[in-house]
Structures are given as C-alpha cells and as structure tokens.
Amino acid sequence: ALFATYFGVIPEMYPNPLDRGRAGVFVGIFNALSGITVVVVVQFVFVKSSVNLTGVVLLNVLPMLLLSWPGIKETRAIKFIQSHKKIECKEVLAFMTQRSSFTYVMSTFFHFIANTLNILFLVFWLTRVTGVCIEEAAQLLGAAGVAQLFCGIVGLPFFRWILVTKKIHPRKIVCLGYALLGVAGFIGVQTKTKMVVVPLGALRGLVFSVNSLSNRMFVGWLTDEDMVRRYNVDGKVVRREAFIQGIVGWSVTGAYLVGGLMTLILGATGYNGTLPTRCIPSASVDFIHFAFGTLPAIVCIGRAVALWFWPLYGKKLREMEESTLKIKEFTGAEVIQTEVI
C-alpha cells in the first residue's frame, strides 16, 4: 500500500520526467538507508540474546513520520482524478510483452533471487562448508553487515553524482556492478574461506547502493513509456505507477518462492540441523555450497544481461521523454489521471 501510494502521487508532484528521476534518486537514498538500518538491527538480534523491540520500532517509526510529514501535507493538497476502470489480464500481458517491461521485471526477479539466497544460506555456508561455530558465524555475519553498511553509505553520494550530475545511464552502471558481483562472488565462495564474506559484503553494499538509486528511474521510464503508448491509442493521459509497481512486486514474490523451494530441496537431500557436519550427507553440503555460491552468481550475471538489453537509452530515451513533455504541453493538464488496481 505504501509503494502504491508513492507511485500514484509522484507524477502529480513532478510532471517533468527529469525532475521525477531526480526525486527518485533521493527516494532511493532513503530506501537504501532504511535497508541498511534493517541489516544492522538483524545483526544485533543475531549476536545478542535479547533486544528492546519497542526501542527498535521507535527508532524506525518516529524518524519516518517526522521526515514524511512535509510530503504528507503536500500530498493531501493534491486533487486526484481517478478512473475506476479495473485492470484486466490482457492489459498485464500487453505490458509484459513490451521489451522494456519484460527486461526490467526479469532483472528485478534475478536481483531478489540472489538477495534471498544470500540471506537464507549464508549461515549454513559458514557453519557447514567452512566449518566455523555458530558464535563465530554470527560475528562474521555482523562484520559483513557493517562492511555492507559502510560501503553502501559511502557509495550513495558517488553514485548519485554519476546518475544525476553526470547523467550516465543506470543501465551501464548496474550491469557492470552485477557482473562484477557475480564473478567475484563465485570466485570468492569457491575458496571456502570464511573471511571472504566481509569483502563480498562490502561489494554487495556498493552494488545495492546504485541499484536502489536506479530502480526509481527505471520504473519512472516504464511509466512514461506506458503513458505515451496509451495516449497514442485513446488520447487519454493516464499514469499507472501503482499498476506497474504491482507487476514488479510479483517478481519479488516469485523470488521468495524460489528461496522457499531451495530450502525444500535442501531438506530433500537429507539435511538435519541437529547433526554435526560430519554426519550430514555430502549432498546436503554440496547443495548449500551451490545455493550460496554458484546460483547467486548466475542470477547476478543474469540481471546484468537482462538490463543490458533495456531498450530505453540514448536516442529512444530522448524521444520518449520529448513525447512525454509534448503530451503534457498539448493537454495542458495540471492533474494527471491515475488508475486504480
């Protein structure tokens, strides 16, 4: 509901696609910071036997409400024109058959598969493959989280400078980042060295930093393209941010499903968490190594390949942005219609 609200109001607040892209970068910064905060809290829960959950909630909720209040006031002042037409399956299929939509949804699917597998199998890999005890695994997990936190924060202003100031298309940066993460992750995990999780956490922080900043820009371009295509059909200016974000959200759910299936397969190999490693079938240990090292590397490279074929860049992107501005100037509409799902 929160994302649907955001993607519904952003075109009202920033009709110009360039302004919307810049706003998306700042939203990505706060999104990355919130994700990093969650990582730190999780590491604290892992290491400590108890935690003040009330304090954690207040630490997250109060700043969010405080920082959101100006935007809430501005949003309340916006007058929306809603068309209550329901979204049909054929519209979803029409959207997904577009090259830009398909490549971005698939790349998001690959990203969350890699992230989910890393979260699920990191502790298994440390304890069952490298052979460290659970206490040392928790310490390494915390160190990797801190490395990801530090590099993620340090990388935010740098990647913002690249994306907004230098106006380098995120397609290039994200492709390079995920290709490096996939190759480095595969090579590092094959060493079966416990300390490799720390530098990999640092690299993951940098890659996730630019990924968070660029996601809003990709979705904004998808929405602009969808608006132009629909305007050419029926002459109506309808922006469907919430609809598009909902479809992208399906890829996230699908990635979680893949993670659940991988844990089921681990159980099918005969894994028993109560047994020492020497008593666990070798197939279970090999599968853990595959699920943490090989498969995430494959899907990271898959995300890089998918985004490399993203069509909205260069001349095509400029033409699409010019069409968006022309539609705005031609219609003279101060309020852009939004459809509800």
Side-chain angles (χ1 to χ4, degrees), residues 128-160:
R128 299 303 190 179
V129 177
T130 67
V132 302
C133 62
I134 188 63
E135 291 79 8
E136 187 177 1
Q139 294 173 359
L140 289 170
L141 194 63
V146 171
Q148 182 171 336
L149 165 69
F150 177 78
C151 292
I153 292 177
V154 171
L156 287 173
F158 172 71
F159 291 123
R160 179 188 176 278

Side-chain angles (χ1 to χ4, degrees), residues 38-102:
V38 171
V39 170
V40 173
V41 172
V42 169
Q43 306 312 322
F44 182 77
V45 172
F46 255 98
V47 176
K48 302 294 182 180
S49 58
S50 62
V51 62
N52 185 348
L53 293 178
T54 303
V56 172
V57 171
L58 292 177
L59 181 65
N60 286 274
V61 172
L62 290 181
M64 182 185 71
L65 293 176
L66 180 64
L67 293 172
S68 300
W69 180 245
I72 293 174
K73 291 177 63 178
E74 187 172 353
T75 302
R76 292 177 61 187
I78 297 175
K79 296 181 180 179
F80 291 95
I81 300 175
Q82 293 186 347
S83 63
H84 295 279
K85 176 183 175 183
K86 294 183 179 180
I87 303 298
E88 299 179 357
C89 292
K90 64 180 181 180
E91 293 187 66
V92 177
L93 293 175
F95 175 77
M96 284 301 299
T97 53
Q98 300 297 316
R99 179 181 168 188
S100 54
S101 307
F102 181 78

Side-chain angles (χ1 to χ4, degrees), residues 136-278:
E136 187 177 1
Q139 294 173 359
L140 289 170
L141 194 63
V146 171
Q148 182 171 336
L149 165 69
F150 177 78
C151 292
I153 292 177
V154 171
L156 287 173
F158 172 71
F159 291 123
R160 179 188 176 278
W161 175 76
I162 289 179
L163 296 174
V164 178
T165 305
K166 301 301 292 183
K167 298 182 179 180
I168 298 178
H169 199 286
R171 160 182 166 269
K172 299 179 180 179
I173 308 301
V174 176
C175 284
L176 177 61
Y178 275 87
L180 289 175
L181 180 60
V183 173
F186 178 79
I187 295 175
V189 172
Q190 299 312 310
T191 65
K192 298 183 180 181
T193 303
K194 61 184 180 180
M195 291 304 298
V196 76
V197 299
V198 178
L200 287 180
L203 179 58
R204 189 174 292 108
L206 291 173
V207 174
F208 285 8
S209 178
V210 68
N211 180 73
S212 296
L213 295 176
S214 61
N215 277 341
R216 302 288 81 80
M217 302 176 74
F218 281 120
V219 174
W221 287 325
L222 282 178
T223 308
D224 291 336
E225 182 188 40
D226 179 71
M227 183 197 72
V228 172
R229 183 170 60 250
R230 288 172 59 88
Y231 179 80
N232 292 332
V233 173
D234 54 23
K236 296 180 180 179
V237 181
V238 180
R239 297 193 60 82
R240 305 192 296 177
E241 255 97 343
F243 163 72
I244 293 172
Q245 183 60 33
I247 295 179
V248 174
W250 295 347
S251 65
V252 181
T253 305
Y256 293 157
L257 176 61
V258 171
L261 292 175
M262 294 297 287
T263 58
L264 289 176
I265 296 174
L266 175 61
T269 61
Y271 179 81
N272 188 336
T274 62
L275 299 177
T277 303
R278 65 178 182 274

